Amino acid sequence: MRAVVVGGGPVGMFCAMALARRGDEVIVVDRDPGPPASGRWARRGVMQFRLPHFFRPIVRQAMTGTLPDVWDAVLAAGGVEACPPGFPEAMTGLECRRSTFERAVWAAARREPRLALRTGHADRPVTRRGRVSGVVVDGQSVDADLVIAAGGRASRFADDTRPPAEGGTCGFSYMARMYRARPGTELARRGLPMGWLYRHYQVMVFPQDDRTLSALIVRPTADEALAPLRYNHCFEAAASLIPELAPWTDPDRFEPVTDVMAGGGLTNTYRGQLGEQGRVAIPGLFFAGDAVCTTYPAAGRGVSLGLRQAQALLGLLAGRRADLRDVAEQFDAWCTANIRPWYEDHRHWDATLLHRLGGGDIDIEARIPSDVVCAAAEVDPSIWPAAGPFLAMQALPSALDPVRDKARAVLRTGWRPPYTPGPSRGELADACLQPQDRSAA
């Protein structure tokens, strides 16, 4: 069988290599020619490419189960397996820059005998006799019996075959800067990104490979007073004031290796496989990854949800002698049951968190958001058996439903998730107005 995969990100490459190893002839189409032999890789069309990443245990499980040699190549390239102290080995994730991860994956794809990489823009699918028969790439038709659209959140490929996505902006923007530990400085390995919630903003630190880390400040997009944090001197001035962030941006211990990078236009969206009438528009055409679901990236769910989709789709395609229309309907039902709940959870979580960061209180009578349920486990440990698997994405958000009333009872005592002591948003905004006193990278 001939397959075309549109998009060479983690989800597209995972599908492509798995199909090639089953005996299919596979072409991956991507606008980017791939990593150069040396030097910086610009990676066209992927906004989040240089922004912070942590690859959850789901990614490790998917890779070691399907492409174990590719996972070994990621580790050989510098990726660091990381498990929180006291947790089982199954909770091992990966501390790694997206660029390091994708370089290793692309190198493996180039070695795959039945897989070809084609640089170009996938214009539209081609149909014949009511099913997919290929893809038009830069005006030329490429034949295919199967097409997987995994072009990411910016892709518009086959947009007219499905209704618009549900959802929209998550309401957050973030600023991140990458640093490398100076000689003699140890980089903490805690098995998870570190995060702190302040009264009007959030802060995170992502340890990565090659002695690097990314420092992140999250603001409500509507808070224009903190928008100047996208400038190097403003970010550095603010970081020096934030107790949990200052040690990781201390110029005596860490050297900035990028300018501040802004993450904007962030969304929570969901889009199924079916067309306007609730039927498969083009049998043989499947959507995966961000083409199905996007979530606020700072929570690190994107690649995990994408690889889960890839595994499910590949499993359904294993018996592809069946009608591909049926396969698409089965895959859509699977995504509705296993992916959509994460979109719905994130949308509610983000909306309620924005309300709190704006000075509002938690509505005790409404549905308690997942982050608050998990935080309440600090007061009522009986919540933790449900919260732990949810936080690890080993259980769907519905796993928290039996303990939401327990969290509600905790909230009725007057307890609220604590904010980390630190500078106010006004103090951070004022720091942005001070004369530049730290050099830009």
Side-chain angles (χ1 to χ4, degrees), residues 55 71-82 93-97 100-101 104 189 208-210:
F55 296 90
W71 181 257
D72 290 342
V74 171
L75 299 183
V80 180
E81 290 188 314
L94 181 74
E95 295 175 344
C96 188
R97 292 170 292 179
T100 300
F101 185 91
R189 297 294 180 190
Q208 297 170 137
D209 64 288
D210 194 23

Side-chain angles (χ1 to χ4, degrees), residues 32-50:
D32 193 290
S38 62
R40 185 177 182 272
W41 183 15
R43 194 65 176 102
R44 293 181 57 193
V46 184
M47 174 273 295
Q48 67 272 32
F49 186 65
R50 297 200 173 277

Side-chain angles (χ1 to χ4, degrees), residues 13 42 125 127-128 145 205 224 226 252 310 383 390 420-421 424 426 436:
M13 286 300 199
T127 61
R128 185 182 300 122
D145 306 300
V205 173
E224 290 295 330
L226 297 184
D252 293 331
I383 295 173
F390 161 76
T420 305
S424 68
Q436 182 172 347

Side-chain angles (χ1 to χ4, degrees), residues 268-318:
N268 293 315
T269 59
Y270 183 80
R271 203 173 187 187
Q273 303 291 314
L274 308 182
E276 290 281 0
Q277 306 304 317
R279 294 192 291 268
V280 177
I282 305 177
L285 170 63
F286 299 90
F287 298 89
D290 286 350
V292 172
C293 180
T294 66
T295 55
Y296 170 44
R301 291 177 174 176
V303 177
S304 295
L305 292 177
L307 291 190
R308 275 194 168 163
Q309 293 173 53
Q311 287 181 303
L313 178 58
L314 290 166
L316 292 168
L317 288 171

